[in-house]
Amino acid sequence: MIIIPAVDIKNGKCVRLFQGDFGKETVFSDRPADMAIRWEREGAGRLHVVDLDGAVGRSPQNRSAVEDILKSISIPVQLGGGVRELSTIEAYLDLGINQVILGTAAQQNPALLKDACARFPGRIVAGIDARNGKVAVQGWTETTGDDPYELAARMEQAGAAAVIFTDINRDGMRTGPNIESTLRMCRTVKIPVICAGGVTRLDDIKALLPLASEGLAGAITGRAIYEGTLNLAEAAALLRGESGSV
């Protein structure tokens, strides 16, 4: 299990939204690459990047910022937001993205997910965002009637390499991750699960550790590391088993 810092990009800047509300954003840096460099230096083994404008606009909107990040760090980068075409996936992979996340597109266009997984094996990750037990799409601006666990099973069958499961109700709330729903997701699929939403402090990481044996491969954190309630270096050391002074 690893800790994965998030870099969300909106209008070319590194921001965090409150529960996905585009009207409630906090800007943490005018240059997302600077944050990526910081997180790599603090021990991150992977970076989670989201093109927020792309998620709503349905096509990539922050390519230059993504390119800047890729030129600045050496750790693998997983990216989502606005990916709706095979050509977009191929372009991102050619650019140097390690894995592309399909969320809304995978939910609304299963054929795209299946084709992408067949063409780029091991490089496509399913993104499932849930609000009150139902799947949310379009950058969390719309909630569907779909069950997230049933959707995960279909995405696994289509060939997804992993599932990123986000509990929107926990995002930015500092209440800790939803252990119960994360465990259920881990037991629903056999592919690795990465959780997001609510990871706020070191105790949250410790609470998630038992789920590693159930298939939890990582935890994404955003606002907590930007505001200092979670020290990324300490979390990374804990998960490496090199606790030091932790």
Side-chain angles (χ1 to χ4, degrees), residues 100-164:
V100 173
I101 304 161
L102 292 182
T104 299
Q107 188 263 351
Q108 297 181 345
N109 186 0
L112 172 64
L113 175 64
K114 187 174 182 179
D115 290 346
C117 291
R119 185 169 176 180
F120 310 107
R123 309 293 296 278
I124 306 301
V125 174
I128 299 179
D129 306 325
R131 178 188 285 116
N132 300 324
K134 298 298 180 182
V135 174
V137 296
Q138 306 294 3
W140 300 357
T141 60
E142 299 176 19
T143 301
T144 72
D146 284 356
D147 179 90
Y149 308 103
E150 293 177 359
L151 179 61
R154 295 198 300 270
M155 289 180 167
E156 178 182 31
Q157 187 173 21
V163 170
I164 296 176

Side-chain angles (χ1 to χ4, degrees), residues 9-188:
I9 307 172
K10 184 172 181 286
N11 296 324
K13 300 178 181 181
C14 177
V15 309
R16 293 301 295 172
L17 304 181
F18 179 77
Q19 291 192 313
D21 188 337
F22 277 68
K24 297 178 180 178
E25 71 173 58
T26 302
V27 177
F28 286 102
S29 176
D30 289 336
R31 184 171 180 262
D34 289 343
M35 303 311 304
I37 292 169
R38 175 182 171 182
W39 303 139
E40 181 179 38
R41 287 175 177 170
E42 292 191 14
R46 174 174 287 267
L47 193 70
H48 177 76
V49 176
V50 179
D51 179 350
L52 292 173
D53 299 303
V56 176
R58 306 186 184 192
S59 65
Q61 303 291 320
N62 287 286
R63 183 185 172 99
S64 61
V66 172
E67 289 178 342
D68 197 17
I69 288 173
L70 291 170
K71 292 175 182 176
S72 301
I73 61 176
S74 59
I75 58 175
V77 176
Q78 59 191 39
L79 178 142
V83 181
R84 302 288 191 276
E85 308 286 343
L86 279 174
S87 58
T88 303
I89 297 171
E90 185 172 24
Y92 271 137
L93 294 177
D94 288 343
L95 197 63
I97 292 296
N98 178 257
Q99 290 182 316
V100 173
I101 304 161
L102 292 182
T104 299
Q107 188 263 351
Q108 297 181 345
N109 186 0
L112 172 64
L113 175 64
K114 187 174 182 179
D115 290 346
C117 291
R119 185 169 176 180
F120 310 107
R123 309 293 296 278
I124 306 301
V125 174
I128 299 179
D129 306 325
R131 178 188 285 116
N132 300 324
K134 298 298 180 182
V135 174
V137 296
Q138 306 294 3
W140 300 357
T141 60
E142 299 176 19
T143 301
T144 72
D146 284 356
D147 179 90
Y149 308 103
E150 293 177 359
L151 179 61
R154 295 198 300 270
M155 289 180 167
E156 178 182 31
Q157 187 173 21
V163 170
I164 296 176
F165 180 50
T166 303
D167 186 327
I168 298 172
N169 292 331
R170 299 291 180 113
D171 187 73
M173 294 301 290
R174 304 180 182 180
T175 54
N178 190 326
I179 301 295
E180 182 180 353
S181 64
T182 301
L183 177 59
R184 182 178 174 185
M185 181 60 73
C186 289
R187 291 178 173 174
T188 297

